[in-house]
Amino acid sequence: MNELRQDFPAYDTADGAFHFLDNAATSQICRPALEALVEFETNDRANVKRGVYARAERATNAFASARKAAAFFINAPSPDEVIFTSGATLGLNTAAHILQHHLESGEVILVSELEHHSNLVPWQLAAERRGAKVRAIPVTDDGRLDLDKLDDLADRVKIVAVTHTSNVTGAVTDVARLRSFCDATGALLVLDGAQRAPHGPLDVQALGCDMYAFSGHKAFGPTGIGVLWGRYDLLDSSPPFLGGGEMIRRVSIERSTFAPPPHRYEAGTPPIGGAIALAAALEWSMSQDWAALGAQERDLTEKMLNGLSDMCGCRLYGPTGTQQRVGVVSFELEDVHAHDVCQLMDSDHGVMLRGGHHCAQPLMDRFDTVATVRASLAPYSDQADVDALLNGLEAVRRKLA
Ligand code: PMP
């Protein structure tokens, strides 16, 4: 058994048939995050920034410390550049809202065919508001961004908004190449880190991006919390996205002036417990040996890829090797719908998978399909999970194909 499971309460009561391979959708919460949540909700629960009593001060201090921990996890120059959101989706919508103020009519937002809808629809909406255009970096047959095509797409590009890691193919984006492209074109670089954040600490400064978003629930934290990081000058260049309490400086009936970032973008009571628990999850992540966890993930990914490519009637999508990718593997069984595969894998084999378009319909179009099955690993995954996946699929294939 994978010893790391001791850090995950979901495994305390799980029996041997619990094979959770839907980590790209939501991973399990780690024990420090759950304990931090219980501790806050039990002993410190009060609203932040308002109260003058000790409990409220404890809550306010814990929330401020959570922001520092999130900044540390991504190596942000300042915690004031960290906005707590409800997840990557709100983060990317906020990024699109902010950066639209830098867009002129006719300019281009460059996304990719690989994007999750969360990093596509907000840019379409921003483009519509500004009279700008959305263009896409194509995807190679093995499910990576085709960066050789970048030069053909340079005309009037103002924003490049792409995924750091694909939720369908597991491909990790070559950010350095995108950074050079942005340097040459003067474009701003936004990364959707929803699938990268679960793979250890990040360095937004080394990546050279201008904004970065991720969700807590995929990175061993609670649901309902996420992070948007942005360069302070960019955050300070835009009016607020949402209005309400705590984001203002002064309000009269006619007009309002606004607080500086990050508070300008955190209208209303923030997800206090979520932020505190996320910080505990990020601290847990920072305490792990990611070189060893990466090697373990590559080993299990290779076993999945080998097993699936040996399976009769199984079509794999995405990179066939284990370099520059994470343990997110998409495939289809010939003549069997992905939903049927997932249902039987759960009911008959205790394997939890995801089937569908994965909120990436343009990529499904690119692959000329409508749905794939996806198995996705986490640091607590082990050989038994992969065996259950491959044996179960073989049985499902024989039953249904
Ligand atoms: N981007 C990617 C690559 C994702 O995988 C997801 C979640 N599936 C999102 C964005 C959106 O994250 P959330 O639903 O947590 O806001």
Side-chain angles (χ1 to χ4, degrees):
M1 196 191 77
N2 184 333
E3 278 184 14
L4 218 62
R5 289 188 177 179
Q6 289 164 6
D7 289 355
F8 288 84
Y11 287 97
D12 289 354
T13 52
D15 60 24
F18 182 78
H19 298 292
F20 189 77
L21 290 177
D22 193 20
N23 293 289
T26 291
S27 63
Q28 297 303 316
I29 193 168
C30 65
R31 199 176 302 280
L34 189 58
E35 285 174 356
L37 188 61
V38 171
E39 165 71 16
F40 166 74
E41 299 292 358
T42 310
N43 296 321
D44 296 337
R45 184 179 161 109
N47 215 318
V48 288
K49 299 182 224 167
R50 289 163 221 196
V52 288
Y53 47 92
R55 193 177 176 95
E57 276 170 15
R58 284 201 305 277
T60 302
N61 290 340
F63 186 61
S65 298
R67 202 186 297 281
K68 283 190 194 142
F72 196 66
F73 180 76
I74 57 175
N75 194 29
S78 160
D80 288 342
E81 297 181 338
V82 169
I83 299 163
F84 282 121
T85 65
S86 59
T89 302
L90 181 58
L92 293 163
N93 275 276
T94 306
H97 164 85
I98 292 170
L99 295 189
Q100 71 180 339
H101 299 288
H102 297 259
L103 267 178
E104 304 285 339
S105 170
E107 287 186 326
V108 171
I109 302 169
L110 196 56
V111 295
S112 87
E113 286 178 341
L114 206 59
E115 298 314 308
H116 187 284
H117 299 162
S118 291
N119 197 35
L120 175 53
V121 181
W123 300 109
Q124 291 172 344
L125 296 172
E128 224 165 90
R129 286 192 292 267
R130 306 296 294 181
K133 297 187 180 98
V134 175
R135 297 220 173 94
I137 303 168
V139 164
T140 59
D141 288 342
D142 67 345
R144 294 186 184 278
L145 297 194
D146 191 351
L147 297 182
D148 291 341
K149 301 275 163 49
L150 270 182
D151 288 344
D152 305 338
L153 294 160
D155 192 34
R156 301 207 70 191
V157 172
K158 193 55 186 267
I159 297 167
V160 177
V162 294
T163 192
H164 192 178
T165 300
S166 166
N167 67 314
V168 180
T169 69
V172 177
T173 300
D174 181 352
V175 178
R177 252 181 105 179
L178 283 169
R179 183 63 257 163
S180 308
F181 175 76
C182 289
D183 286 341
T185 54
L188 295 161
L189 180 59
V190 181
L191 293 176
D192 171 0
Q195 296 295 339
R196 169 57 187 82
H199 293 85
L202 286 150
D203 187 339
V204 290
Q205 297 185 65
L207 286 168
C209 55
D210 298 292
M211 293 193 132
Y212 197 97
F214 68 93
S215 300
H217 68 98
K218 296 180 199 284
F220 322 113
T223 57
I225 181 77
V227 164
L228 171 67
W229 168 80
R231 266 178 32 212
Y232 193 86
D233 60 308
L234 291 173
L235 299 185
D236 205 24
S237 69
S238 161
F241 183 33
L242 302 172
E246 297 305 323
M247 46 72 72
I248 50 87
R249 222 189 269 280
R250 182 78 182 88
V251 176
S252 68
I253 290 297
E254 294 77 24
R255 63 184 298 273
S256 303
T257 53
F258 304 113
H263 311 293
R264 185 184 304 173
Y265 301 105
E266 291 179 355
T269 299
I272 310 165
I276 291 165
L278 173 61
L282 299 179
E283 274 158 6
W284 174 88
S285 176
M286 286 187 277
S287 73
Q288 299 305 307
D289 176 353
W290 282 98
L293 291 178
Q296 171 189 295
E297 183 174 354
R298 276 191 297 282
D299 177 49
L300 293 176
T301 304
E302 188 165 31
K303 288 179 168 130
M304 281 201 291
L305 291 171
N306 289 343
L308 292 167
S309 52
D310 286 348
M311 199 173 289
C312 181
C314 179
R315 178 177 171 193
L316 270 166
Y317 297 92
T320 48
T322 56
Q323 296 309 305
Q324 288 298 101
R325 70 163 301 148
V326 297
V328 173
V329 176
S330 275
F331 57 93
E332 247 180 308
L333 294 186
E334 202 175 17
D335 297 331
V336 190
H337 193 279
H339 286 158
D340 294 337
V341 175
C342 293
Q343 224 154 38
L344 277 176
M345 286 295 286
D346 181 43
S347 60
D348 293 7
H349 304 282
V351 181
M352 287 162 262
L353 300 168
R354 171 78 29 157
H357 55 61
H358 313 293
C359 301
Q361 284 178 340
L363 185 63
M364 296 296 115
D365 293 344
R366 164 66 178 84
F367 286 148
D368 198 21
T369 188
V370 287
T372 73
V373 183
R374 181 184 70 189
S376 49
L377 302 171
Y380 43 75
S381 306
D382 66 9
Q383 180 67 49
D385 293 328
V386 173
D387 290 344
L389 170 76
L390 296 173
N391 295 336
L393 285 172
E394 196 56 66
V396 167
R397 194 184 65 77
R398 271 190 258 113
K399 191 169 183 175
L400 293 184

